[in-house]
Amino acid sequence: MTFDVVLTDEPTAADEAFVSDGLDEFNFAAAGVQDRQPLAVLVKDPDTGETLGGLTGRTSLGLWFVDLLYLPEKLRGSGLGTRILAEAEAEAGRRGCVSGVVYTIQFQAPEFYARHGWTEFGRIPISGGRSRIFFRKELRA
C-alpha cells in the first residue's frame, strides 16, 4: 500500500487535531495518563479586552512546556513578565508538573529566565552565529 505524504505550512485545524488526538490516545495506552492541556497567561487591556501579550504553552505527563512569552516593548520592565511567569509556574505546579522547559535565543530573554531560577541545560547553534538556549526549572523539591 502506498500513501501520499504531504508537506504543508498550512495544516488545517482538523489535521492538527487528528495528530494531537492520536498522540493523546497513544500516550494514554502507554502511560495510563491523558493530561495534555494548554496553559496560557495573558495580559489584557482593561478597557478593550484586547490581548497585549502573554505566555502560551502546555502541560503534559508532569512537564510544563513554555512555547511563547511575549510583551511589547512598552510593557517590558514593568514586572508583568515576572507576574506572567509566576502565574504560569504556579498553575503548572497545581497540575502536578515537576519541571518546566523553555528555549530562547541569545537576543531574546536568557537573562530573564536565569534571573527567575531557570537553569541552562543546552545550546544548539542556529544561523548568524546565534544559539537556541534551553532552560529547565524544577517546580517541586
Side-chain angles (χ1 to χ4, degrees):
M1 179 180 279
T2 61
F3 298 93
D4 291 335
V5 176
V6 179
L7 174 67
T8 181
D9 60 359
E10 296 181 356
T12 67
D15 294 333
E16 290 183 351
F18 185 87
V19 172
S20 178
D21 293 347
L23 183 58
D24 280 347
E25 289 175 21
F26 175 85
N27 288 346
F28 182 70
V33 177
Q34 192 170 22
D35 68 346
R36 185 172 54 87
Q37 185 177 1
L39 191 159
V41 179
L42 305 173
V43 176
K44 299 278 191 169
D45 182 297
D47 297 323
T48 66
E50 176 186 7
T51 300
L52 303 175
L55 176 148
T56 62
R58 65 197 181 285
T59 57
S60 179
L61 299 172
L63 193 57
W64 165 39
F65 298 90
V66 177
D67 292 330
L68 303 169
L69 174 55
Y70 169 75
L71 284 174
E73 187 69 37
K74 67 182 180 184
L75 298 179
R76 295 178 196 159
S78 67
L80 277 173
T82 297
R83 281 182 55 199
I84 290 166
L85 194 59
E87 288 208 28
E89 183 177 322
E91 177 59 20
R94 284 189 290 274
R95 294 181 186 187
C97 293
V98 296
S99 297
V101 177
V102 65
Y103 75 79
T104 187
I105 303 173
Q106 290 159 312
F107 60 81
Q108 290 178 332
E111 297 85 8
F112 173 79
Y113 291 106
R115 234 182 7 259
H116 291 88
W118 294 72
T119 303
E120 180 179 332
F121 70 90
R123 289 180 182 235
I124 298 177
I126 57 175
S127 63
R130 299 179 193 96
S131 293
R132 291 198 186 263
I133 305 168
F134 291 79
F135 287 89
R136 67 188 301 267
K137 184 173 186 180
E138 294 299 315
L139 301 180
R140 293 194 259 174

